[in-house]
Structures are given as C-alpha cells and as structure tokens.
Amino acid sequence: MKRILMLLLLCLGLSSCSTDDSEIVSETSTIPNIEFVGVDNDNTYLYDYRAEVGIGEQTNLSSELGLGTNFLTLRQTEQELSFYTFNSGKFSLLKKDIESRETDTYIDFYTNTNERSIVWGINTKDQVYFGFYNPKGSTNLALRAISLTTLNGNDISLEFNINTLYQPILIDENLFITYLDGQERYKITRYNTDTNTLTQTLDFGTSSPSLFDDDLGNLVILKFAENGKVDMEIRDSNSLSLIKEQNLALEQRFLPGPLNASLIGNKLYYQYTYQQPFIIDKGPAIFNINTSENKVLDFIGIIDEVEQELDVSVNIITEYYDPGKNVFLASYQKFDELYGGVLIINEDGKLLKNIELDFVPIYFVK
C-alpha cells in the first residue's frame, strides 16, 4: 500500500456508505460538502461527502473505468478528472466528469517511441499535451498536442538543451510550462490550447518562479531570488500583462513550477515547511501579504488529537486549502493499515470534522 501511495503522490458502481465521523466540531464554522479520490489495495474510488447527512456516496472508479491503483498521473480540468496509465509502451487516458457523472476512455491512444522521453501529460476536454525531450537522451524540450477526436498529433519545439522541466499548470485555455534553460535561467512559456500556438515566454533569470491561479483566474507568480528576496507578480492569464507586483516578507521558499496555494484578497494560503528533522514535513499556514503576519496553524496539535481519538498513529498524505469553502483539508493513512480519513480544519486551526474511511484519500477535488 505504501508503494502505491508513493507512486501516486510522485506523479500524483455507486453505493451509499456511512462513516464513523469524529464528533469534534467547532460551533462557529460550517462543515462543508467535499469530494475526493482515494485508493486501497485493489481499487480507486471517488467519494462525495454530504455534510448535512454525515455520509457520502462512493463510486468505484476501477469498476467504471477499468482503472487500477497504479496510474501515473491524476489531473483535473474544470469538473473533469483525468487518469493517465502506461502499459507496454502505450498511454491510456480515463476520464470522469464529476458533475454529469459521464465517463470517457481512450485506451492505448498514444504509443511512445524511442525518439521521445515523455516527462508529463496534461489535457483539456478535447486535447492531450505531452511535455517531452526529443530525441530521447537529449534535453531538447518539445510539446506534443494530440486531438482526442482524431487521435492525430503534432510536435511543437520549445527550446534546445534545457536543464530541467517542471510540471505544467492549465488556467482556462492557457497552458503554462516552467523550465530551467541551458544557461540556468528560469522561464515560463504560455501555450494557447484554443489556437494551438506559443504566445509568449517570460524570462526570470536566476529567480525561481512558483505559480498558481488566484480567485479571479489571474496567474500568480512568486519569484525567489538567490539573495533571499521574494517578489510576487499577478498577471492576466490571457495577455500576461502585469496587474500587480509586490515584495513579500515571506521566509518560506517553494520549488519551481505549480504551487499548492491560494490567494484570496490579501491572504496567501499555503503549506508551511517545517525545518527537518521534524515529525511532519508540512502543515497549513496563512500569510497576510499586506501586514506580513504569518499564521502557522497548530497542525501537530490536531494530529495528536486525532491519534488519541483513534488510538493509532497516522501519516499525512496530502493537503489542500479549498478557497470556495474556506477550509483546509488534509488526508491521512492509519499506521500499518489500509484505512484512512479526511480532516476538515477551519482558518482558526479548529478541527471541524474527522471523516474515517476504509480507503486512503489521495486527491481533493477542486
């Protein structure tokens, strides 16, 4: 089970199910409905938790899609979940619309060749994009666009002899690709998936960029200079025109590429990284970009509370701040067991709910 979870986190029939929920509830906060994906030894599940009744509806995606638990990547585009698998040199794409509940499968839709070394895949509703090196063994960066209607594709060359390619991020029709070029300069390229054209490349020099979209759909870029300076840019995701630039007194440094964070008004919701060695790696935090107040929630206290209630140790699997519901979500696995759960935490650091499950959640639906 641990091997399965490590693989999923590195890449990333209907039945009613009741849960044994913790009764730890804040009187001042509302417990929201949430949806998430989880796995056990044999199956992958979609779970729709309804707070008003305290139970959830569980969908076995393995039965619906023919999906195992060792998929390469899980992506979400609007209300559509996409699972990528690879077998015998061929990629398959399995999709689930969480709103309409419809499914689509594209089995063996792309056969890889010795000419390409594929790093990642991402998709819109009707096209798949692979970031890859060509030829294999080189670091010449290219993008392959494949139509899911015709399954035909074409290659777009991005840059020769780069150093590192990071994971992509899709905001509406804009695909943002972050990489470190051969001259040790960080760049972000925007590719328009509607027109299938490269539109613009931003050069950040030696400052490493971490990026995400804000509540207005703008592109937020945190730039980390070698001297420790941190600057934030907010850009229009369509034109890349600069909307706002601000220096941040943020001591946290993030990895280049997509960032698990949200910017709502003047508050940055993010994962605080604890100095190691420590009993956990990360935990929820809120940084005020105007006052520089950095509020790190007492995640250790919450974990201790849950472990005492369950009488078992837990390992945190994934975390996410849900801006629409104003809560932090964290999933866990019980020590040496195939069971887990979800913690719902408000902005004050209060545990609203502990949802116990007979599988381990690995992804929160956005």
Side-chain angles (χ1 to χ4, degrees):
M1 180 62 186
K2 292 183 178 179
R3 181 189 66 81
I4 293 174
L5 289 176
M6 286 293 293
L7 176 61
L8 293 175
L9 293 174
L10 285 173
C11 293
L12 227 194
L14 294 176
S15 62
S16 287
C17 301
S18 62
T19 58
D20 296 325
D21 297 337
S22 168
E23 295 303 323
I24 307 168
V25 179
S26 168
E27 295 179 355
T28 60
S29 299
T30 301
I31 300 171
N33 300 326
I34 59 173
E35 200 164 7
F36 46 88
V37 175
V39 297
D40 60 19
N41 263 348
D42 304 310
N43 297 294
T44 299
Y45 305 99
L46 177 65
Y47 194 88
D48 186 6
Y49 176 77
R50 313 305 296 179
E52 64 271 17
V53 292
I55 61 174
E57 187 174 61
Q58 182 171 310
T59 303
N60 189 322
L61 296 178
S62 294
S63 298
E64 276 198 353
L65 299 171
L67 176 68
T69 59
N70 59 341
F71 46 88
L72 293 176
T73 306
L74 166 57
R75 304 282 190 191
Q76 181 178 349
T77 303
E78 297 178 352
Q79 297 301 304
E80 190 173 72
L81 299 177
S82 298
F83 299 85
Y84 289 80
T85 66
F86 184 75
N87 185 43
S88 301
K90 298 180 179 181
F91 287 93
S92 295
L93 175 62
L94 313 171
K95 302 202 298 181
K96 170 75 173 183
D97 191 303
I98 58 177
E99 194 169 82
S100 68
R101 299 295 170 175
E102 294 180 353
T103 61
D104 284 306
T105 58
Y106 302 87
I107 306 301
D108 298 339
F109 77 95
Y110 178 70
T111 301
N112 194 27
T113 69
N114 292 329
E115 299 176 358
R116 298 182 178 90
S117 178
I118 293 179
V119 180
W120 47 250
I122 194 169
N123 60 282
T124 61
K125 287 186 176 296
D126 53 9
Q127 292 194 93
V128 171
Y129 300 92
F130 285 124
F132 69 96
Y133 297 129
N134 184 34
K136 190 174 182 179
S138 76
T139 56
N140 298 329
L141 177 60
L143 184 71
R144 182 162 185 84
I146 303 173
S147 166
L148 289 175
T149 303
T150 66
L151 298 186
N152 294 326
N154 62 287
D155 293 345
I156 304 100
S157 179
L158 300 182
E159 186 157 337
F160 293 106
N161 300 317
I162 73 163
N163 185 301
T164 308
L165 174 62
Y166 303 100
Q167 288 292 316
I169 181 173
L170 186 65
I171 304 176
D172 297 325
E173 71 274 14
N174 300 298
L175 176 61
F176 295 98
I177 303 168
T178 306
Y179 61 94
L180 180 65
D181 73 9
Q183 304 302 315
E184 302 291 319
R185 300 182 67 86
Y186 289 96
K187 295 179 179 179
I188 297 176
T189 287
R190 180 168 70 95
Y191 180 86
N192 188 296
T193 61
D194 279 349
T195 61
N196 287 317
T197 55
L198 289 171
T199 57
Q200 191 174 349
T201 297
L202 299 176
D203 189 333
F204 297 97
T206 57
S207 295
S208 66
S210 302
L211 56 156
F212 60 97
D213 57 330
D214 67 8
D215 56 332
L216 300 176
N218 297 313
L219 176 67
V220 181
I221 304 171
L222 301 184
K223 302 183 299 182
F224 300 90
E226 292 179 322
N227 62 5
K229 182 182 178 183
V230 182
D231 290 313
M232 178 184 70
E233 291 183 358
I234 300 179
R235 293 178 175 269
D236 184 283
S237 60
N238 292 312
S239 65
L240 287 184
S241 59
L242 187 63
I243 298 173
K244 180 180 181 179
E245 187 170 15
Q246 181 178 344
N247 178 255
L248 300 182
L250 181 66
E251 297 181 359
Q252 179 85 48
R253 187 181 181 94
F254 304 111
L255 295 174
L259 179 63
N260 182 11
S262 296
L263 181 64
I264 311 295
N266 63 346
K267 292 183 179 180
L268 175 67
Y269 300 84
Y270 73 101
Q271 289 181 294
Y272 176 82
T273 301
Y274 293 91
Q275 186 174 353
Q276 299 300 310
F278 199 62
I279 56 177
I280 60 173
D281 294 328
K282 298 178 181 179
I286 307 170
F287 178 78
N288 189 306
I289 64 173
N290 290 339
T291 66
S292 299
E293 177 189 4
N294 193 38
K295 179 181 178 181
V296 180
L297 276 58
D298 184 15
F299 200 34
I300 297 297
I302 292 174
I303 294 173
D304 287 343
E305 187 177 357
V306 171
E307 289 181 333
Q308 290 178 20
E309 173 112 2
L310 300 178
D311 195 27
V312 66
S313 297
V314 301
N315 297 318
I316 299 300
I317 301 300
T318 187
E319 301 170 42
Y320 170 63
Y321 175 76
D322 192 321
K325 301 179 176 67
N326 298 320
V327 292
F328 288 96
L329 303 172
S331 70
Y332 64 86
Q333 177 187 3
K334 294 180 181 179
F335 183 71
D336 277 348
E337 294 186 35
L338 302 180
Y339 306 110
V342 170
L343 307 177
I344 304 177
I345 306 165
N346 71 8
E347 294 185 24
D348 295 325
K350 302 296 183 182
L351 178 62
L352 304 181
K353 201 72 169 178
N354 171 24
I355 307 170
E356 293 186 62
L357 302 157
D358 57 3
F359 58 88
V360 180
I362 59 168
Y363 178 81
F364 293 108
V365 174
K366 299 174 175 59

